[in-house]
Amino acid sequence: MKPLNGKVALVTGGSRGAGRGIAAELGKAGAIVYVTGRSVRGASTNHWPGTVDDTVSEIEAAGGKAIAIQCDHTKDAETEAVISQIRKEQGKLDILINNVWGAHDLGVEGKPFWELTLQNWDTMFTAGVRAQLAVNHFAVPLLRENKQALIIHTTFWDHGKYTGQFYYDLAKNALVRMAYGLSIELKADNIAVLAVSPGFMRTELVLKYHGADEESWREADDLQQTETPCYVGRGIASLAADSNVMEKSGLVFRAGELAKEYEFTDIDGRYIPPFTI
């Protein structure tokens, strides 16, 4: 029996990477999954591998149900339209995965703050933090109509350690704080809000950078401790199926910690410990 049968989920930023892995695992668990992103088949951002249509095809091939919506979450009208479509088609939203992250467009440079371009703010805050905040703004009224619901922000976190890139560190910690603040404001509505941190993932862009693929990644020394995006996806699907998830509201978890608690592995059968800096 699929634990998320009858649930409706929205995964933002689901063209590739963590979003795609999370959407796939929620679909396998039985949820109807709406997948948003800028990339659609025939028009992928920066010609990168992966589109929202590809993610939906993967879910459908596994027997699940998913709907792709092209959306630039820096445009509030498009974000609002996504929630309106879900309300019209499903009448509810049970699970919101705030994963949109526009900073891939710029990359993460390890330079001192004063040498970094101020464009870092736009990509990591406007297209990252604010984009996730806007999704919450439009989605929370629909989520509040449920008897219970779940919001998860994907982030990076390792017990408050500095990541080494000023803007990235600031943005990712802002997402952790956003989840905490919302957990307090939404407690009375029985909406759990958490932050979840993947480890070093073998995303499409990471594999491309290393000139590797899922068949050859073991040959690259830098990829030995990596995990697939499905690893964090399995953690989030486990949280979504946990009837006691409200007890975790306001907290942040690493994928490896969730794997240990819920006793799952990555798709290759490995347990990957929590990523540490």
Side-chain angles (χ1 to χ4, degrees), residues 8 33 66 73 77 83 102 112 134 162 173 203 210 226 228 239 257 264:
V8 178
V33 186
H73 285 291
I83 305 304
Y162 185 55
N173 278 284
T203 64
H210 288 275
T226 56
T228 73
L239 288 168
E257 293 165 345
F264 63 83

Side-chain angles (χ1 to χ4, degrees), residues 31-106:
I32 298 172
V33 186
Y34 282 78
V35 184
T36 64
R38 293 175 297 172
S39 296
V40 294
R41 203 161 284 155
S44 176
T45 303
N46 297 328
H47 304 290
W48 287 332
T51 67
V52 290
D53 301 300
D54 296 330
T55 301
V56 166
S57 294
E58 180 180 342
I59 293 169
E60 291 176 339
K65 183 176 180 180
I67 298 94
I69 306 176
Q70 185 179 31
C71 179
D72 182 343
H73 285 291
T74 65
K75 299 176 180 178
D76 292 346
E78 293 188 16
T79 300
E80 185 176 17
V82 169
I83 305 304
S84 296
Q85 180 176 337
I86 295 172
R87 178 185 286 278
K88 180 180 179 181
E89 294 177 355
Q90 305 298 333
K92 67 169 186 171
L93 178 62
D94 302 288
I95 303 162
L96 169 59
I97 310 302
N98 256 314
N99 175 71
V100 61
W101 179 252
H104 297 301
D105 293 0
L106 189 63

Side-chain angles (χ1 to χ4, degrees), residues 60 63 147 153 221 233:
E60 291 176 339
K147 292 182 179 179
H153 289 265
D221 291 340

Side-chain angles (χ1 to χ4, degrees), residues 98 125 129 132-133 136 151-157 160 168-186 193-196 249-253:
N98 256 314
F125 278 81
V129 178
Q132 293 196 23
L133 183 142
N136 284 328
I151 299 173
I152 290 179
H153 289 265
T154 58
T155 186
F156 177 80
W157 180 82
Y168 182 85
D169 186 89
L170 197 60
K172 291 300 186 181
N173 278 284
L175 295 174
V176 173
R177 191 65 181 178
M178 191 189 303
Y180 175 69
L182 281 174
S183 75
I184 295 172
E185 296 211 357
L186 294 171
V193 190
L194 297 79
V196 174
S249 192
L251 303 178
V252 54
F253 295 90

